[in-house]
Amino acid sequence: INDPRILSEYELPLDKDWEVPRNTVVLGKVLGEGEFGKVVKADCVGVLKRGQSTVAVKMLKDGHTDAEMMALVSEMEIMKVVGKHVNIINLLGCCTQGGPLYVIVEFAPYGSLRDFLRNRPEIITESTNESLEDTGNLTPKDLVSFAYQAAKGMEYLASRHCIHRDLAARNVLVSENFILKIADFGLAKNIETDYYYRKKTSGKLPVRWMAPESLNSMLFTIQTDVWSFGVLLWEIMMLGATPYRNVQGQYLLQHLKAGNRLEKPPSCSLDLYLIMRECWSFYPKGRPSFTVLVKQLEKILTAMT
Ligand code: ADE
């Protein structure tokens, strides 16, 4: 393992702006596992901002390939380039020297939005002064606030030329004070020059969140992220339900081509449903931008105050 001739034990370049001493990172329980990586809860002692010692650490699993290592390095580099915003999971630091690569990111105590919504079915409709913080109950306004926050995060990523490609409630995390944060955007490609990105390798695809042109031609653009955002809106209003439950993945494209769309969730207002339907315009140009979505959702949200 210490043999410098083994290329798999890479020497990564040191970036002093981000490097954190390895001995200050105390790993805890596993939060999630993906195909080639895992996310572990950790304590990061005395290095980061005061009071913020709980972090999430992304790392590779044993037996990873060189390509997977390069993917994690590229994810970290994309996070550095994208920069900070309240509604995204921000990079806090990394350990690149003398051991496995640790990519240290913000920890979101309430976990994924999908699980959060599934575990909190209490929706209160009668008006109340009790907030989500007080009661743990969700109001219709909380749900619209979630939609708005996700749109803000996506608007920022779009402004940084970052295409997510896997926007879904499972990839949105719930942080302190119920602040929503878009996660895993570093798996996305930065498209400073290319205005679209074609996926070359065939991993598992999030077909139920994919736009027709992604299903058809593996084309991913900011407009296909907008389609996925519409599905995310639907998930929020359906409290974490699975979209197109009665359609098999392989038939989804023809289902959409035939003009079918997800139905209006029972508790969803018409104006909100019309926003979803705009996101699901068959032609990408018919879909709103994230900036327009932010404005529309802001309007609905303030009308609820
Ligand atoms: N699961 C995956 N990433 C996470 C994070 N940053 N915070 C909390 N749970 C997670």
Side-chain angles (χ1 to χ4, degrees):
I1 269 167
N2 291 320
D3 187 338
R5 289 168 303 180
I6 300 172
L7 195 64
S8 297
E9 292 307 316
Y10 304 84
E11 280 203 27
L12 293 170
L14 171 64
D15 183 342
K16 287 206 169 92
D17 291 344
W18 292 98
E19 192 72 16
V20 164
R22 196 173 285 280
N23 61 9
T24 63
V25 183
V26 182
L27 300 179
K29 66 167 186 177
V30 174
L31 293 167
E33 282 189 72
E35 271 168 78
F36 61 84
K38 60 181 173 183
V39 182
V40 175
K41 189 175 175 177
D43 257 353
C44 200
V45 197
V47 176
L48 305 160
K49 280 175 282 171
R50 295 141 270 118
Q52 193 184 32
S53 67
T54 304
V55 298
V57 178
K58 285 196 163 201
M59 63 185 83
L60 296 161
K61 289 189 193 171
D62 293 342
H64 63 265
T65 64
D66 290 7
E68 289 157 354
M69 175 63 153
M70 285 170 68
L72 184 58
V73 171
S74 123
E75 183 178 353
M76 172 177 73
E77 294 302 325
I78 286 172
M79 293 181 91
K80 288 180 188 175
V81 170
V82 161
K84 289 194 185 298
H85 187 274
V86 272
N87 297 118
I88 68 174
I89 286 287
N90 290 291
L91 181 68
L92 298 173
C94 56
C95 302
T96 62
Q97 309 294 305
L101 173 60
Y102 292 167
V103 178
I104 305 166
V105 302
E106 289 175 321
F107 172 73
Y110 297 102
S112 88
L113 177 61
R114 181 177 178 272
D115 295 342
F116 180 81
L117 291 170
R118 287 189 167 216
N119 298 334
R120 285 170 183 267
E122 323 257 334
I123 286 270
I124 30 178
T125 37
E126 69 284 14
S127 67
T128 167
N129 293 324
E130 316 258 282
S131 66
L132 180 53
E133 279 100 305
D134 303 331
T135 62
N137 291 329
L138 292 168
T139 63
K141 198 183 164 188
D142 291 324
L143 297 180
V144 177
S145 162
F146 288 171
Y148 172 73
Q149 293 184 59
K152 289 286 277 185
M154 288 307 299
E155 181 190 33
Y156 179 73
L157 290 178
S159 80
R160 304 296 298 144
H161 308 285
C162 182
I163 300 175
H164 194 296
R165 294 189 302 143
D166 195 6
L167 179 60
R170 65 181 169 274
N171 288 328
V172 178
L173 296 173
V174 185
S175 199
E176 286 104 1
N177 303 315
F178 306 98
I179 292 172
L180 258 51
K181 289 175 175 279
I182 311 285
D184 288 334
F185 55 87
L187 305 175
K189 299 282 172 266
N190 202 306
I191 44 127
E192 204 75 69
T193 47
D194 284 352
Y195 89 98
Y196 70 84
Y197 171 72
R198 268 171 205 273
K199 196 172 187 287
K200 291 187 196 73
T201 53
S202 53
K204 263 196 192 167
L205 290 169
V207 288
R208 287 162 202 280
W209 285 261
M210 281 162 67
E213 68 273 23
S214 308
L215 290 166
N216 198 53
S217 320
M218 282 301 153
L219 216 60
F220 293 89
T221 63
I222 275 300
Q223 285 121 318
T224 64
D225 273 355
V226 169
W227 178 289
S228 308
F229 180 81
V231 182
L232 167 62
L233 278 185
W234 184 91
E235 289 182 280
I236 292 172
M237 296 306 146
M238 291 292 286
L239 301 175
T242 302
Y244 316 96
R245 275 208 75 140
N246 50 358
V247 183
Q248 278 181 274
Q250 57 179 321
Y251 296 120
L252 205 69
L253 181 56
Q254 67 187 65
H255 183 77
L256 297 172
K257 272 187 172 165
N260 299 297
R261 294 294 183 267
L262 290 163
E263 284 175 23
K264 188 178 89 61
S267 63
C268 175
S269 66
L270 190 59
D271 49 2
L272 206 56
Y273 185 59
L274 289 175
I275 293 178
M276 293 181 203
R277 294 299 295 242
E278 277 194 309
C279 295
W280 302 327
S281 298
F282 191 86
Y283 294 103
K285 283 187 174 158
R287 298 171 204 154
S289 66
F290 281 111
T291 300
V292 165
L293 286 165
V294 165
K295 293 203 173 96
Q296 289 175 331
L297 290 166
E298 190 170 32
K299 202 173 155 199
I300 295 176
L301 192 60
T302 46
M304 294 176 94
T305 317

